[in-house]
Amino acid sequence: MTTAAAREEEFSRQREKMVQQQLRPRGIADPRVLAAMGRVPRHRFVPPAMAAEAYADHPLPIGKGQTISQPYMVAAMTEQLRLTGSQKVLEIGTGSGYQTAVLAELAAEVISLEIHAELARQAEEKLAALGYDNVTIVVADGTRGYPPAAPYQGIIVTAGAPHVPRALTEQLADGGRLVIPVGRHGYQMLKVITREGTRLREEDLFLCSFVPLVGEDGWRSP
Ligand code: SAH
């Protein structure tokens, strides 16, 4: 076996361990989500110097003061979208592109907005290299959503918002689910908002910690 192949095999073992030790015991149960988490090569989305830590049970820095979320957080938020394969999903905060790849495995189409042009470009390259052809990355302030492709059956925000941006609930399809951390700098409550016709139902899940959602209808400064 070549060195490169041996390395990939080791990463694949670490990925399986991540699913068995970090995700299943904490209640991630959707078989499609577990399979996607077992497939997406997370080590390709972290800085090369940190590849050995890619499958560890915590977030990692990806540059520009941003982070790639902990595997459990990615799985838990994704599971809340209840994707069956036919949905169009909007993601706010592409970051490394890892969460985007997990969504691309589970949805028909993913549109991901990132405010940092450099992070967006890097993520786009990685996703293309891995063959994801159902993803569009747009450099934009996600607090305005993305009207051209609305409505969305799922919206996921991977940065902490001071409140739920109105544009996002407006762009949610009937029956669609919005997963978003809302609260102060430091800690937020992970919320799921479901559109039922003209009504919005709101559910609190658990406390979490994300970098700030900075934009017109978010935090005004990091
Ligand atoms: N899902 C990502 C997490 C990235 S961290 C991952 O797993 O890698 C949050 C990201 O949100 C950062 O890249 C940050 O630049 C981006 N962000 C912050 N405010 C934003 C906004 N208003 N619109 C779009 N992206 C934003």
Side-chain angles (χ1 to χ4, degrees):
M1 204 191 306
T2 65
T3 322
R7 217 171 101 91
E8 285 305 312
E9 203 161 277
E10 170 55 23
F11 282 130
S12 165
R13 264 194 298 275
Q14 290 182 16
R15 200 152 55 233
E16 184 53 27
K17 218 169 124 188
M18 170 190 87
V19 170
Q20 301 304 341
Q21 298 183 352
Q22 300 173 32
L23 308 184
R24 283 186 193 275
R26 292 188 189 133
I28 305 297
D30 182 332
R32 295 182 73 244
V33 172
L34 290 166
M37 295 295 294
R39 267 194 310 267
V40 177
R42 182 170 163 94
H43 59 283
R44 297 278 290 269
F45 293 91
V46 306
M50 265 182 250
E53 268 193 85
Y55 297 95
D57 196 10
H58 50 75
L60 289 168
I62 55 168
K64 313 262 179 247
Q66 308 301 335
T67 55
I68 175 172
S69 303
Q70 176 193 23
Y72 171 72
M73 189 60 65
V74 173
M77 291 175 81
T78 303
E79 188 169 50
Q80 285 299 325
L81 293 174
R82 302 198 184 154
L83 300 174
T84 56
S86 60
Q87 291 88 350
K88 176 162 60 176
V89 175
L90 177 68
E91 176 187 39
I92 318 290
T94 316
S96 67
Y98 173 65
Q99 168 83 72
T100 322
V102 173
L103 295 171
E105 295 265 349
L106 297 169
E109 189 185 349
V110 183
I111 293 168
S112 185
L113 310 181
E114 170 56 54
I115 206 160
H116 277 296
E118 178 64 15
L119 290 177
R121 194 187 55 77
Q122 287 174 7
E124 198 168 34
E125 277 177 18
K126 287 174 186 171
L127 291 161
L130 289 168
Y132 290 105
D133 56 7
N134 57 343
V135 174
T136 309
I137 297 188
V138 182
V139 179
D141 171 8
T143 65
R144 293 297 178 211
Y146 189 67
Y152 305 96
Q153 287 82 40
I155 302 182
I156 176 171
V157 182
T158 61
H163 56 262
V164 179
R166 196 189 173 106
L168 300 186
T169 52
E170 284 173 359
Q171 291 171 28
L172 199 56
D174 194 12
R177 294 166 70 83
L178 161 64
V179 183
I180 179 170
V182 180
R184 301 161 173 274
H185 279 303
Y187 286 94
Q188 303 91 28
M189 178 57 75
L190 189 65
K191 291 180 180 283
V192 180
I193 292 156
T194 312
R195 174 172 288 285
E196 294 167 350
T198 54
R199 276 193 51 215
L200 296 171
R201 192 160 49 82
E202 188 174 316
E203 192 187 333
D204 285 354
L205 295 182
F206 51 79
L207 283 174
C208 54
S209 180
F210 280 85
V211 299
L213 180 74
V214 179
E216 251 188 89
D217 199 15
W219 294 101
R220 284 316 172 105
S221 62

